[in-house]
Amino acid sequence: MMSKFFYKGKIEKKPKHESYGFNTSRKLKAGTAEAPLTLVVKDEEELAQVQAQLAEHQLVADISVSEDGSTNLQELEHLLAKPKTVSVEATPNRNDPCSCGSGKKYKKCCG
């Protein structure tokens, strides 16, 4: 394979990312056993609630109870607050029947 950039006939070699331990096709998701979430809760009651949420959504997390009473659930909230897909009805073409039910063409009725 010839590279388009060469100097004095030397061919550039493609770097082998695998030899450096870098996997280019890895898909690591937060909340799995390989990448658990890091959460901090203020008491045992909140700990039970968070564990129930994790079990419901099949997520894995390292949860610690703080002594100063602060909580940090940002990773969990970010993962659970996924945007909903919005679907929009397509507008009818000019010569399609009108959607209002008049029986006329769209261009003669509502278009």
Side-chain angles (χ1 to χ4, degrees), residues 72-87:
N72 184 5
L73 302 174
Q74 282 184 328
E75 290 182 27
L76 179 63
E77 291 167 358
H78 177 70
L79 199 61
L80 295 180
K82 292 182 181 177
K84 303 289 184 219
T85 304
V86 177
S87 60

Side-chain angles (χ1 to χ4, degrees), residues 1-50:
M1 173 176 106
M2 283 293 294
S3 174
K4 64 180 181 179
F5 302 107
F6 61 94
Y7 178 70
K8 292 186 182 179
K10 294 181 182 179
I11 300 172
E12 293 179 2
K13 292 184 179 179
K14 184 178 177 183
K16 295 182 179 177
H17 298 292
E18 297 86 18
S19 64
Y20 298 109
F22 182 73
N23 187 354
T24 56
S25 63
R26 184 170 183 177
K27 304 243 190 273
L28 188 62
K29 294 184 178 180
T32 60
E34 297 170 340
L37 302 172
T38 306
L39 306 174
V40 180
V41 296
K42 61 182 174 184
D43 56 7
E44 296 295 326
E45 182 181 321
E46 191 175 16
L47 175 67
Q49 292 174 354
V50 170

